[in-house]
Amino acid sequence: MSAAPESASNAPQPPTGIDELLERVRAGYERIEAREAYEAAQAGDALLVDIRYAALRERDGLIPGAHVVERNELEWRLDPQGSHRLPEATGHALRIIVICNEGYASSLAAQSLHQLGLHRATDLVGGFQAWRGSGLPVE
């Protein structure tokens, strides 16, 4: 017995490549440049969250005042309803700026935070490398 032919609406969709996925994700929110992120953090209007892995933090340093949250813990630490949240994760209106090394993984992380209702989550264009390249503080 042969399977029924698939209709056009049930046909499998071609896989989405990472470049297309990033484009779609980034279209859903406004990303932030390093200087603006610094000013927002200084004004107390944003929580900087560094998701870089330990070897990169050890090699390149830390952004003063940024919260280090490993990527695999991000949603648990920032969900305002979660039992493992950071004390600073007080509500869904919190402005979170996710920082990775070059601004790619952070885009996917910000999108994940949006799915948790953190509608002001964004990421840093160019990541930590852009921050350091802009001459902003690094420890």
Side-chain angles (χ1 to χ4, degrees):
M1 181 182 280
S2 64
E6 292 188 27
S7 69
S9 63
N10 291 337
Q13 297 297 315
T16 301
I18 189 61
D19 292 332
E20 182 181 345
L21 179 61
L22 279 171
E23 188 176 316
R24 285 186 203 168
V25 164
R26 290 172 175 169
Y29 64 92
E30 187 174 329
R31 301 179 78 208
I32 191 168
E33 297 287 338
R35 177 65 53 189
E36 184 182 356
Y38 172 76
E39 291 169 0
Q42 291 296 109
D45 184 40
L47 184 70
L48 300 179
V49 178
D50 186 344
I51 63 169
R52 293 175 301 140
Y53 54 90
L56 288 176
R57 294 190 312 266
E58 290 169 11
R59 182 189 77 189
D60 294 338
L62 299 169
I63 295 172
H67 294 270
V68 174
V69 178
E70 296 285 338
R71 175 61 190 99
N72 63 331
E73 297 179 355
L74 185 70
E75 292 82 359
W76 284 268
R77 304 295 281 151
L78 294 176
D79 179 2
Q81 300 173 353
S83 59
H84 293 86
R85 70 176 178 81
L86 291 174
E88 295 82 4
T90 56
H92 288 92
L94 180 64
R95 186 176 185 196
I96 298 167
I97 301 170
V98 183
I99 303 165
C100 68
N101 193 49
E102 295 182 341
Y104 295 100
S106 56
S107 294
L108 300 176
Q111 192 261 349
S112 181
L113 295 177
H114 277 250
Q115 291 176 322
L116 289 176
L118 294 158
H119 61 274
R120 294 182 69 207
T122 188
D123 76 311
L124 183 63
V125 175
F128 177 86
Q129 298 305 324
W131 179 280
R132 184 173 62 180
S134 295
L136 296 170
V138 173
E139 309 180 316

